[in-house]
Amino acid sequence: MKVETKKMNQAMLRSIIPGLGQFYNGQVIKGVYFFVVFLLFIGEMILWGNRAFYNFFTLGSVPMVDHSLFLLVQGILQMVFTVIFILFWLINLRDAKIVAEKKNAGEKINTKLKDNLLDLYENGFPYLLTIPAYIVMIVAIVLPVLVTLFMAFTNYDFKNIPPANLLDWVGMQNFSNIFTLTSYKATFGKVFSWTIIWTLLSTTLQISIGIFLAILCNQKFLKFRRIFGVVFLLPWAVPAFITIMSFSNIFNDTAGAINTQVIPLINQLPFVEIGSIAWKTNPFWTKVAIILVQGWVGFPYIYVMVTSILQSIPEGLYEAADIDGANAFQKFKSITLPSIFLVAAPTFITQYTGNFNNFSLIYLFNNGGPGSLGNNAGSTDILISWIYKLTTGGSPQYAIASAITLIISAIVITISLIAFKRTNAFNMED
């Protein structure tokens, strides 16, 4: 036993330099592969990596020669390469240990190229198929997230735009400015509070409409249910961009259909007198309008999902409730609603988190207006649309925008995790 343990320790110890542990185990071809990858990484670090890390920490030294943003991205890219190599190094250690254990147990060890390729095909084929997906994920998701993360700790704003000016690391100053500087503090508080109100009201409205219509169309006494089902899917069939722009025109203060046709029609009713409503120029009514529009745009998805859930509820549950003398509301409360939430709770949570970052409707309906809250924010801007304006306005504040992005991410992730845990969204035991 001591000899076997010693051999395994020797294999892992030699694998500190990738490939040597495989050589020790008699797998020369595999050892060559591992050692070549090790040499490539060492060469990359000598030729480019060390300089990339140095430039990442300094962000350049000569304006108009060093581009701080490019140096930041290059340093992040080198970090990703280094993390990938560390994972490779750990796999190399694990492989040396496992092969040493098999060798000590008297099992056959693959030493030929043909056997290694066959083993790779049989045991590593799923991993080979997922490698392209991981590469795309790193390029499309990981790198942008890391750039945003580190940018939040720099002074990247309209006064410091590379390559004319160099960027500097400022630590937590941007986060501090958001909560301490009077201008940012006031704007952030108003935009954040409206973001919460918007998320809760608009999402709850679309979920409520979707559930109500799904239950209504699931009633057997209702005729032409399929026709109603098709009609309710129309908002989903039309691209959201077109729907939002159409509603923006419909709610126009002077020429919109609401003020010129709908309200005059309502005024024909006895004891009703409604004046023209400033949908696009009064912040309160603009907020009401976009909440209503989101209810219209978002309910079809909920309607379809809840309809499928209702059709899967056993009819025997309602028959038993009828025998017990339950009324319609009691059946809805005790059978229908729990069944819906049991299946759809994760989707409902994602609807809330999605509307928290619903840029399209806020921006397309009225460009975040009317009015201004300061720092490029309009009265109906939510955090995500404010971030867009911070980066595209006449005085871009990239670092502040990155800091707010991280705050948004932290809020969304935290709330989602808590909600998923409390609703047992991923508990499949039952």
Side-chain angles (χ1 to χ4, degrees):
M1 182 64 69
K2 292 183 179 180
V3 175
E4 295 176 355
T5 304
K6 183 178 180 180
K7 289 182 178 180
M8 285 187 290
N9 292 337
Q10 281 290 328
M12 291 189 64
L13 183 63
R14 297 185 183 215
S15 286
I16 292 177
I17 298 178
L20 297 187
Q22 285 71 26
F23 289 143
Y24 179 79
N25 289 329
Q27 294 184 308
V28 178
I29 297 176
K30 184 187 289 187
V32 170
Y33 293 154
F34 278 78
F35 189 68
V36 167
V37 173
F38 170 69
L39 290 180
L40 289 174
F41 178 76
I42 295 298
E44 188 272 338
M45 284 295 297
I46 294 174
L47 297 176
W48 191 74
N50 287 328
R51 187 65 182 175
F53 275 129
Y54 174 79
N55 290 333
F56 174 80
F57 289 109
T58 62
L59 295 180
S61 55
V62 183
M64 299 303 297
V65 175
D66 297 328
H67 197 300
S68 296
L69 186 60
F70 291 168
L71 298 180
L72 177 69
V73 174
Q74 291 171 6
I76 293 172
L77 193 60
Q78 182 58 42
M79 287 183 183
V80 173
F81 287 155
T82 304
V83 170
I84 292 175
F85 175 76
I86 292 174
L87 293 176
F88 163 80
W89 181 72
L90 294 174
I91 292 173
N92 150 76
L93 292 175
R94 182 175 180 273
D95 176 78
K97 178 183 178 182
I98 291 176
V99 173
E101 290 176 347
K102 291 182 178 179
K103 189 175 181 181
N104 293 332
E107 299 181 20
K108 181 181 177 181
I109 303 300
N110 296 327
T111 57
K112 299 180 179 180
L113 177 61
K114 180 180 179 181
D115 294 333
N116 285 326
L117 293 177
L118 182 62
D119 181 68
L120 179 64
Y121 175 78
E122 292 179 348
N123 299 319
F125 188 69
Y127 300 100
L128 294 177
L129 288 179
T130 57
I131 286 177
Y134 284 121
I135 294 175
V136 172
M137 183 178 67
I138 290 173
V139 173
I141 300 177
V142 176
L143 284 178
V145 168
L146 290 177
V147 171
T148 301
L149 172 65
F150 286 106
M151 193 182 296
F153 299 96
T154 68
N155 62 341
Y156 191 13
D157 56 20
F158 67 97
K159 296 180 181 178
N160 301 286
I161 298 182
N165 302 96
L166 298 176
L167 301 182
D168 293 315
W169 296 106
V170 296
M172 300 295 293
Q173 180 179 336
N174 293 316
F175 296 92
S176 175
N177 289 342
I178 293 172
F179 296 104
T180 57
L181 290 183
T182 304
S183 57
Y184 282 115
K185 181 180 179 180
T187 304
F188 179 81
K190 293 177 182 178
V191 174
F192 179 73
S193 60
W194 161 238
T195 303
I196 298 297
I197 295 172
W198 147 259
T199 302
L200 294 176
L201 294 182
S202 63
T203 311
T204 303
L205 177 63
Q206 72 182 58
I207 291 175
S208 301
I209 295 175
I211 293 176
F212 173 76
L213 293 179
I215 294 175
L216 182 64
C217 288
N218 196 55
Q219 303 303 313
K220 294 181 179 180
F221 63 82
L222 185 67
K223 296 182 179 180
F224 309 112
R225 287 186 295 171
R226 292 187 178 181
I227 296 178
F228 284 116
V230 173
V231 172
F232 294 151
L233 288 178
L234 290 179
W236 200 10
V238 179
F241 174 86
I242 297 176
T243 302
I244 296 169
M245 296 302 294
S246 298
F247 272 110
S248 180
N249 293 326
I250 291 172
F251 280 97
N252 186 278
D253 291 1
T254 56
I258 300 295
N259 281 346
T260 60
Q261 300 178 32
V262 177
I263 291 181
L265 183 63
I266 296 176
N267 286 337
Q268 293 180 7
L269 298 174
F271 309 108
V272 176
E273 185 64 35
I274 302 176
S276 180
I277 298 176
W279 297 106
K280 302 290 288 293
T281 55
N282 184 293
F284 173 80
W285 289 112
T286 304
K287 293 176 180 180
V288 172
I290 58 177
I291 290 173
L292 294 176
V293 173
Q294 180 56 34
W296 170 264
V297 173
F299 88 84
Y301 176 71
I302 305 297
Y303 165 78
V304 173
M305 180 182 60
V306 174
T307 298
S308 63
I309 295 173
L310 294 176
Q311 294 174 355
S312 66
I313 300 177
E315 194 66 29
L317 295 177
Y318 293 105
E319 294 175 356
D322 290 332
I323 295 174
D324 291 337
N327 56 36
F329 178 76
Q330 290 173 328
K331 288 187 288 185
F332 169 77
K333 180 181 178 181
S334 301
I335 300 176
T336 307
L337 200 59
S339 300
I340 292 173
F341 278 100
L342 180 64
V343 178
T347 304
F348 291 162
I349 294 171
T350 58
Q351 294 294 302
Y352 281 97
T353 56
N355 280 333
F356 191 87
N357 289 321
N358 191 339
F359 170 82
S360 299
L361 195 150
I362 300 297
Y363 187 78
L364 294 176
F365 185 82
N366 201 22
N367 196 23
S372 174
L373 300 177
N375 290 301
N376 297 326
S379 58
T380 59
D381 270 319
I382 59 176
L383 289 175
I384 190 67
S385 62
W386 183 33
I387 289 172
Y388 174 78
K389 291 183 178 180
L390 283 173
T391 57
T392 59
S395 302
Q397 302 284 344
Y398 300 107
I400 291 291
S402 298
I404 297 174
T405 301
L406 295 184
I407 294 173
I408 292 176
S409 301
I411 293 172
V412 171
I413 292 173
T414 301
I415 293 177
S416 298
L417 290 176
I418 293 174
F420 282 137
K421 183 177 180 180
R422 295 183 66 88
T423 57
N424 295 320
F426 298 113
N427 187 0
M428 301 299 180
E429 295 180 359
D430 296 333

